[in-house]
Amino acid sequence: MAENNSNTIEERDLLILGSGPAGLSAALYAARAELMPLLLTGMILHGQASTTDTIENYPGFPEGVGGSELGQLFQTQAERFGAEIVMDMATSVDLRQRPFVIKTYSKEYRAKSLIISTGASPKKLDVPGEKALTGRGVSYCGTCDGWFFKDKDIVLVGGGDSALEEGLFLTRFARSVTIIHRRDSLRAGALLQKRAFANPKIKFIWDSVVTEIIGDDAVKAVRIKNLKTNQESIQETSAVFVTIGHRPNSELFVDQLELDELGYIKVDKYMHTNIPGVFAGGEIADPHYRQVITSAGMGAAAAIEATRYLENLEDTE
Ligand code: NAP
């Protein structure tokens, strides 16, 4: 999408960036505080959680709830109290000016306060063939793309909770799922490990990394290197699912906000960034928990703090 240089300027008390659990919870709380918040959804409506097949650990849903269904419920609840949700994304921000200036593809916004909940994106392997074959067998979302590989043999890279969750989900479609992990023990929690080891469709290749993805118009194989023996081998596969963690979507804030060494926005326990009036919540500020419930809690806290900030601002104006 090209940036639109339209001169339309809209002023707001509070702008929220991102439509995952943090952003939508912030929108709900801010709407109920009558701040009339405007939320820009970003590229992925309802965030990463919406690409999860079933969320089993969000309280209130004892049988689990679909990721996209939960996202829609969050949105409906926020809108019911007056939050305005717009399909657009920030292309630049200027936090040195007040009000803050946020440009999008179609508009320029001026906001007295800002909540950033732009989340994180899947990390890439950065190996030959990955980019060219993305969408042709290379995928970062099993829930989205698993269906295309019915009765196929597929490969998945990673050893954390996401890898095993995705791997287990993919066994619904695939004939076999080979999980390639760079160490000889998994990072994932015990329950997921137990389920994965018990699943006859899942195999593991330990101490190994993918060094190349091979194919022309579709994935055909991966080149694998054993890190202990340095031996290389080729494994035929119809797909490569990459689930090796995430990186924060904080590019817009480099040189404007304090970030940690991994690029996550630094916040105090009240979701304040180093700039008064700018708050952050959810995975953009949390490399540690990254759960729907913790993100939702951070978003709610950010909105409560933004409400207090705007009240104080009014008193001093
Ligand atoms: P993660 O815990 O950071 O795991 C990433 C995995 O990918 C690790 O096993 C890591 O190997 C491997 N890895 C990283 N870079 C790699 C590379 N360049 N090449 C090959 N392998 C690489 O990420 P995650 O699984 O996405 O989980 C993120 C957070 O969300 C965690 O806190 C997790 O508990 C949480 N989560 C929870 C649930 C749940 O509760 N059901 C579900 C999903 C995620 P090493 O182990 O060697 O570092």
Side-chain angles (χ1 to χ4, degrees):
M1 278 190 273
E3 190 168 347
N4 182 333
N5 292 322
S6 145
N7 295 329
T8 328
I9 294 177
E10 192 171 325
E11 302 209 349
R12 289 280 171 160
D13 281 347
L14 172 64
L15 205 74
I16 300 169
L17 303 182
S19 57
L24 288 169
S25 300
L28 170 65
Y29 271 69
R32 285 174 57 83
E34 306 212 309
L35 297 183
M36 288 181 289
L38 184 129
L39 180 150
L40 304 177
T41 58
M43 285 292 263
I44 302 182
L45 180 64
H46 304 153
Q48 289 182 87
S50 70
T51 64
T52 302
D53 178 54
T54 310
I55 295 173
E56 292 180 328
N57 52 9
Y58 192 75
F61 297 91
E63 304 304 323
V65 58
S68 61
E69 189 188 343
L70 186 61
Q72 187 52 56
L73 287 169
F74 279 5
Q75 176 171 343
T76 304
Q77 195 171 357
E79 284 176 328
R80 182 181 151 218
F81 293 101
E84 196 179 331
I85 293 170
V86 173
M87 294 277 283
D88 203 351
M89 68 181 288
T91 52
S92 72
V93 295
D94 188 346
L95 306 179
R96 294 173 194 100
Q97 295 189 48
R98 283 183 190 261
F100 307 122
V101 177
I102 297 98
K103 290 187 180 163
T104 75
Y105 287 112
S106 56
K107 256 194 179 168
E108 179 173 320
Y109 293 94
R110 307 262 164 98
K112 289 183 187 167
S113 64
L114 181 68
I115 294 178
I116 303 167
S117 45
T118 47
S121 300
K123 278 203 245 167
K124 309 254 185 317
L125 288 171
D126 288 329
V127 297
E130 182 180 24
K131 202 169 170 190
L133 291 163
T134 294
R136 299 166 177 214
V138 175
S139 169
Y140 303 87
C141 177
T143 316
C144 319
D145 299 329
W147 186 86
F148 296 110
F149 303 99
K150 214 165 170 5
D151 297 324
K152 304 278 188 210
D153 296 311
I154 62 177
V155 149
L156 182 144
V157 186
D161 284 325
S162 302
L164 293 203
E165 222 171 55
E166 293 271 82
L168 285 159
F169 177 78
L170 288 167
T171 60
R172 295 187 194 186
F173 313 98
R175 184 166 55 196
S176 74
V177 178
T178 301
I179 297 181
I180 300 173
H181 182 40
R182 63 183 178 183
R183 293 187 293 126
D184 63 2
S185 63
L186 295 165
R187 184 176 290 279
L191 180 62
L192 281 168
Q193 290 203 30
K194 200 171 154 193
R195 284 187 194 166
F197 290 137
N199 191 309
K201 283 190 176 181
I202 295 183
K203 298 175 217 160
F204 286 90
I205 296 180
W206 303 104
D207 298 312
S208 299
V209 290
V210 168
T211 55
E212 185 184 355
I213 301 173
I214 301 162
D216 32 47
D217 53 350
V219 168
K220 298 262 187 321
V222 284
R223 190 183 303 278
I224 301 168
K225 182 176 170 187
N226 183 302
L227 295 175
K228 286 199 170 146
T229 63
N230 275 336
Q231 243 180 1
E232 285 199 343
S233 59
I234 301 280
Q235 163 105 11
E236 288 188 5
T237 180
S238 302
V240 183
F241 286 88
V242 181
T243 46
I244 58 170
H246 298 90
R247 53 168 189 75
N249 297 323
S250 58
E251 294 83 357
L252 288 181
F253 313 106
V254 173
D255 298 332
Q256 300 206 55
L257 284 176
E258 270 182 28
L259 309 179
D260 72 10
E261 61 287 354
L262 297 174
Y264 290 88
I265 295 176
K266 282 191 182 175
V267 288
D268 66 13
K269 65 178 176 177
Y270 301 112
M271 308 303 132
H272 294 226
T273 69
N274 63 310
I275 296 187
V278 180
F279 308 87
E283 202 170 331
I284 188 67
D286 168 34
H288 191 69
Y289 294 112
R290 304 159 116 170
Q291 301 295 299
V292 176
I293 188 170
T294 50
S295 290
M298 289 174 85
I304 292 169
E305 292 302 313
T307 308
R308 289 181 184 155
Y309 170 81
L310 288 166
E311 279 166 1
N312 288 337
L313 204 63
E314 238 171 59
D315 289 345
T316 54
E317 270 176 358

